Amino acid sequence: MPIYKATNCFPDTALLLWNITETAEALSEGLHLTQRSLDRLRNFKSEAHRRGFLSVRRLLLTAGYSDSDLYYDPFGKPHLSDGKHISISHSHNFSAIIISDRITGLDLELRREKIAVIAHKFAEPSFVLDQDDPDYINKLTVNWGVKEAVFKIRNERGISFKDHIEVKSFEMSDKQTTATLRFNNLERHFDVYFEEIEQYTIVYLFERH
Ligand SMILES: CC(C)(COP(=O)(O)OP(=O)(O)OC[C@H]1O[C@@H](n2cnc3c(N)ncnc32)[C@H](O)[C@@H]1OP(=O)(O)O)[C@@H](O)C(=O)NCCC(=O)NCCS
């Protein structure tokens, strides 16, 4: 299947998703990859990794960019040469990118019951204790996604998901919440949006000025 969704979720922001059903070979057709990308592709151990990587390049193309417009800093964070902000995520059969004028982070997660086992390691007690909530797993997955997405914006050494990133409680029907990062002397606020697509949860957020 080609592109699953391409929307301007806000006037200054494009969100694109790919449902990966093709082989790596099919995905690479018509793509012009930089030498760096070709080297990276060659070093991936699994076909799943290659498909995720290539589907992201297809999404870039859909958004009007080529592989050579994308570069990475030494921490692995992606950047676009025109100065727009980009964040990337892949999970099993889906990949997603967000491109915005604002500082943004994105995470895509497959919802799994086993997230409950590690909830106490990353989530606030109010989330962990709410086990009777029918949306327990859904909310934990959003909570995790928020923290991954914040981390993708501010990937400073020593940030703890549990101690430094706080997600305001929400209902799934809200489709949005807020989050705060408090780390050393830094305090940053984020506007968070989330949705569920099949068995996946997508979270994207923007750092407030
Ligand atoms: C970097 C990290 C956020 C990536 O998340 P992930 O769920 O493994 O993978 P995703 O598919 O969602 O994201 C991968 C993409 O993130 C981006 N990325 C990688 N490192 C990054 C960084 N340091 N900063 C921002 N973005 C980064 C890349 O674009 C990468 O995809 P690409 O290399 O194909 O372009 C994750 O590996 C990580 O380090 N998380 C923090 C772990 C942690 O603190 N856990 C505490 C648990 S209690």
Side-chain angles (χ1 to χ4, degrees), residues 40 44 53 56-57 70 72-73 75-78 87-91 106-109 121-122 144 148 151-153 155 159 161-162:
R40 222 181 134 191
F44 286 136
F53 180 90
V56 165
R57 270 69 201 164
L70 184 73
Y72 292 84
D73 71 15
F75 303 101
K77 180 172 175 162
S87 191
I88 295 172
S89 188
H90 15 70
S91 178
L106 167 79
D107 192 59
L108 187 62
E109 291 291 329
K121 291 190 180 167
F122 70 89
W144 172 263
E148 287 272 84
F151 188 80
K152 284 180 185 174
I153 292 179
N155 50 26
I159 290 181
F161 279 12
K162 185 169 174 165

Side-chain angles (χ1 to χ4, degrees), residues 135-161:
D135 289 332
Y136 185 55
I137 298 298
N138 311 62
K139 288 182 179 176
L140 279 179
T141 310
V142 171
N143 187 297
W144 172 263
V146 171
K147 294 178 180 192
E148 287 272 84
V150 167
F151 188 80
K152 284 180 185 174
I153 292 179
R154 295 238 155 224
N155 50 26
E156 276 138 75
R157 252 185 130 88
I159 290 181
S160 150
F161 279 12

